[in-house]
Amino acid sequence: MLPSSPSSGPSSMGRRALIGAAIASAPAVLGLSTEAAAQTSTQASAQAAQPASASPSAPKKPRALPGGGDLGPNVLVFDPSTPGIQARLDEVFRQQESAQFGTGRYALLFKPGTYHGLNAQLGFYTSIAGLGLSPDDTTINGDVTVDAGWFNGNATQNFWRSAENLALVPVNGTNRWAVAQAAPFRRMHIRGGLNLSPTGYGWASGGYIADSRIDGQVGPYSQQQWYTRDSAIGSWLNGVWNMVFSGVEGAPAQSFPNPPYTTLDTTPVSREKPFLYVQGNDFRVFLPEKRTNARGVTWGNGTPRGTSLPLTQFYVARPGVTAATLNEALTQGLHLLLTPGIYHLDRPIRVNRPNTVVLGLGYATLIPDNGATAVQVADVDGVRLAGFLVDAGPVNSATLVEIGPRGASSDHSANPITVQDVFVRIGGAGAGKATTSMVINSRHTIVDHTWVWRADHGEGVGWETNRADYGVVVNGDDVLATGLFVEHFNKYDVQWFGQRGRTIFFQNEKAYDAPNQAAIQNGSIKGYAAYRVGDAVTSHEGWGLGSYCYYNVNPSIVQHHGFAAPVRSGVRFHNLLVVSLGGNGQYECVINDTGAPTSGTSTVPSTVVSYP
């Protein structure tokens, strides 16, 4: 039985806050210095300025950029002997607790060892991580807490924060992680239970766990939906609308829609996110290897499998660096480590070399100016994009993230491109526009946890103010999405044109702010589907997909369906649902013309277990 929701909702903090009502019936920079930093490689000094040609008229070659270096003032590195750790954690939290659209960005890094009596409360744009090869190398006898006191017990806006690579021994036996979207929980070992709801069991809308072990019970309580991948849990307590598991030891049995559990024994293909660790006094980046039919954690039996790169092979970028310099570093053969902060780009970051890593710390944020694309990846093997936020600029960008050029056709099955914890936002922090947020053209790409969001609250928000027609467009064949969150686009949230595509877990809300029925009319169809498979597709499969409508500007709007796909035996869906939140708009069907309509204000899902 679900706990009751709070008796009083939050103040007028934006329309998303009102979602919770539907469930009731069901900055200034701190300037803290880095405690420890990687030494600049001797290789960097060897890459001195190239000698000029003997001819006085010959142009000089550019000076080589160094690899490695200091991680900057907003990366705080602790070891067990560091004094005043709790005070520093509290100081960052005071700044970031309610700074939903602020400019502060922080990474809190803990060297291997044991820490006692800490409670790391995480606010916006704050990442906490251990620096060992295994989560058990860094143990906190204490908690890493996300709660919703700043928002009157409503956790539906607890975005943009993360925890990785730590072992926790919670003070009271259970750690609290009450998050919404863009808040990954990776490579964590909880020696106890995990509570995914805020204090008071208030409204919650998240989230994502991967490569983690929770020894005790996971209690989602009021969480609307959740995806857990390649992990191990003691037990799972309940479900609201859409709980999805793939490759999870201890997961509940398949039982959708009652309880609403979608359970896959394994994950078809996965490759965990790159992570920073220390070896001696030096930082390195570990690159986990690809797994097929994965189940359970990667780190349980000794050293994880994969490869390692020294930080000296990375250009350590600081806010203020230009896109030209980032591209020069890539051309030199360096990888990119984006330290916390905001980066304005007048041209795309172009990733053209196979196996290049672009890793962000502390929600490093890329803002493309003058309509530029933020990141473009060539059709090459093994590129890894991870851990950063792309924020649309005020001049419309045709696309924000492009994986492979149009027409890309190379086979990357042995060494796929991965896009992990790469988040996209249009509006909220200010006016932003983009026709399409993310385009996947390269075959075999793995999109592992993304939140692509046209903002419904904050600054620069309105039906035309932060116009964004399409969220994610997949043109490449054999693409896999594990943990796909895409919300509020003016037209289609997801369009999938590639063959043999697969999605495990999809969470969507249609745009709240459509002014009238005509604004969303799609030819003869009422509204644009949240997830559309192209008419020419002959093979596609999805598990655990949900779409919700909350047309609060005009509650009379009708959406024909949440999902659209060609009717073919090779195009298959498992465990679909649509929900009208409090009766603000309705769905007539679930997928195509199949599935019962939503009705009234009951906020009860309409489901389809198998299609066709």
Side-chain angles (χ1 to χ4, degrees):
M1 180 175 180
L2 285 176
S4 60
S5 294
S7 59
S8 60
S11 58
S12 57
M13 295 286 290
R15 286 182 290 249
R16 188 180 183 92
L18 299 174
I19 303 173
I23 301 181
S25 62
V29 174
L30 286 177
L32 300 176
S33 61
T34 303
E35 303 279 335
Q39 296 177 342
T40 302
S41 170
T42 54
Q43 296 173 0
S45 59
Q47 292 178 325
Q50 300 291 326
S53 168
S55 168
S57 61
K60 293 183 178 180
K61 294 181 180 179
R63 181 181 178 89
L65 294 166
D70 189 277
L71 299 182
N74 287 11
V75 177
L76 311 183
V77 182
F78 306 105
D79 65 48
S81 66
T82 302
I85 296 176
Q86 187 65 56
R88 295 235 176 157
L89 298 177
D90 292 345
E91 188 178 359
V92 172
F93 179 64
R94 279 193 297 271
Q95 177 179 313
Q96 300 302 116
E97 179 183 12
S98 59
Q100 183 172 177
F101 298 110
T103 57
R105 305 284 188 273
Y106 290 93
L108 312 173
L109 306 182
F110 287 76
K111 288 186 174 182
T114 302
Y115 300 78
H116 297 282
L118 296 181
N119 182 15
Q121 300 182 83
L122 299 188
F124 289 96
Y125 314 108
T126 304
S127 298
I128 188 169
L131 289 172
L133 271 176
S134 165
D136 289 328
D137 292 341
T138 310
T139 298
I140 293 177
N141 289 304
D143 297 83
V144 171
T145 302
V146 177
D147 207 341
W150 74 279
F151 203 26
N152 296 334
N154 179 344
T156 61
Q157 293 183 25
N158 280 350
F159 314 136
W160 305 305
R161 63 203 76 196
S162 67
E164 301 184 41
N165 206 27
L166 292 165
L168 301 179
V169 184
V171 170
N172 69 354
T174 300
N175 190 75
R176 185 181 301 280
W177 185 255
V179 298
Q181 289 74 16
F185 198 79
R186 291 184 181 268
R187 292 178 59 80
M188 296 289 287
H189 185 187
I190 308 301
R191 298 176 192 164
L194 186 64
N195 183 343
L196 303 178
S197 70
T199 299
Y201 302 101
W203 310 321
S205 174
Y208 175 91
I209 293 172
D211 200 22
S212 294
R213 181 179 296 277
I214 294 92
D215 293 344
Q217 184 178 73
V218 180
Y221 297 102
S222 53
Q223 284 286 356
Q224 297 167 326
Q225 65 277 317
W226 199 277
Y227 176 47
T228 307
R229 177 182 64 72
D230 298 353
S231 294
I233 61 175
S235 62
W236 189 273
L237 179 63
N238 73 299
V240 179
W241 295 334
N242 191 30
M243 305 281 133
V244 179
F245 309 84
S246 68
V248 179
E249 298 170 354
Q254 167 70 36
S255 58
F256 187 90
N258 186 28
Y261 297 149
T262 298
T263 302
L264 287 73
D265 189 59
T266 61
T267 303
V269 186
S270 62
R271 189 174 68 189
E272 298 303 331
K273 178 185 171 185
F275 62 91
L276 199 65
Y277 74 104
V278 291
Q279 185 176 75
N281 292 321
D282 297 326
F283 283 110
R284 298 181 67 90
V285 174
F286 193 82
L287 308 178
E289 70 173 18
K290 187 189 78 170
R291 298 199 292 170
T292 56
N293 298 318
R295 181 173 173 84
V297 301
T298 63
W299 46 268
N301 296 304
T303 302
R305 299 177 65 88
T307 57
S308 175
L309 298 173
L311 196 66
T312 54
Q313 293 185 19
F314 285 76
Y315 177 71
V316 179
R318 303 278 284 272
V321 70
T322 65
T325 298
L326 296 173
N327 285 328
E328 182 183 339
L330 291 169
T331 299
Q332 286 180 203
L334 293 170
H335 307 276
L336 296 182
L337 185 74
L338 305 173
T339 64
I342 296 174
Y343 298 75
H344 282 270
L345 307 175
D346 64 350
R347 67 196 73 178
I349 297 173
R350 294 187 172 91
V351 183
N352 297 322
R353 191 180 74 257
N355 300 310
T356 298
V357 179
V358 180
L359 176 61
L361 300 179
Y363 287 83
T365 301
L366 308 177
I367 302 179
D369 296 324
N370 302 317
T373 297
V375 180
Q376 291 179 324
V377 178
D379 191 29
V380 295
D381 272 357
V383 170
R384 306 183 196 223
L385 306 182
F388 57 87
L389 170 65
V390 177
D391 209 350
V395 177
N396 185 74
S397 294
T399 59
L400 293 173
V401 177
E402 297 176 3
I403 308 301
R406 177 169 286 278
S409 59
S410 297
D411 186 323
H412 302 297
S413 57
N415 188 11
I417 297 168
T418 49
V419 182
Q420 298 176 286
D421 301 347
V422 173
F423 307 117
V424 177
R425 178 174 68 193
I426 300 95
K433 292 186 178 182
T435 303
T436 303
S437 290
M438 184 182 293
V439 178
I440 310 294
N441 293 318
S442 287
R443 294 181 63 193
H444 302 104
T445 298
I446 300 172
V447 181
D448 175 44
H449 190 224
T450 187
W451 184 39
V452 181
W453 184 56
R454 174 181 168 265
D456 61 272
H457 63 273
E459 297 297 323
V461 171
W463 184 248
E464 296 294 343
T465 305
N466 61 330
R467 182 84 193 188
D469 283 350
Y470 309 110
V472 175
V473 176
V474 179
N475 296 314
D477 294 341
D478 307 290
V479 171
L480 171 65
T482 51
L484 188 60
F485 299 71
V486 188
E487 297 188 298
H488 304 157
F489 285 84
N490 294 77
K491 292 185 179 179
Y492 291 112
D493 298 276
V494 172
Q495 293 189 92
W496 206 298
F497 301 112
Q499 298 287 356
R500 297 175 299 279
R502 292 173 291 184
T503 295
I504 304 173
F505 183 89
F506 172 68
Q507 186 262 321
N508 166 264
E509 288 174 350
K510 295 303 299 176
Y512 294 172
D513 55 347
N516 49 50
Q517 189 74 44
I520 65 162
Q521 193 68 16
N522 181 17
S524 61
I525 300 173
K526 299 172 185 176
Y528 292 82
Y531 188 108
R532 173 201 175 200
V533 178
D535 293 342
V537 173
T538 58
S539 178
H540 187 92
E541 196 158 11
W543 297 263
L545 282 64
S547 177
Y548 322 139
C549 73
Y550 186 69
Y551 289 116
N552 68 320
V553 171
N554 190 332
S556 69
I557 290 176
V558 175
Q559 177 88 19
H560 180 64
H561 49 215
F563 304 92
V567 183
R568 295 191 177 97
S569 60
V571 179
R572 303 185 299 275
F573 289 91
H574 314 274
N575 304 344
L576 300 172
L577 68 100
V578 295
V579 179
S580 168
L581 301 177
N584 289 274
Q586 300 291 345
Y587 292 91
E588 293 179 325
C589 305
V590 178
I591 180 168
N592 295 341
D593 299 324
T594 298
T598 57
S599 61
T601 61
S602 60
T603 316
V604 174
S606 178
T607 62
V608 169
V609 174
S610 181
Y611 184 88

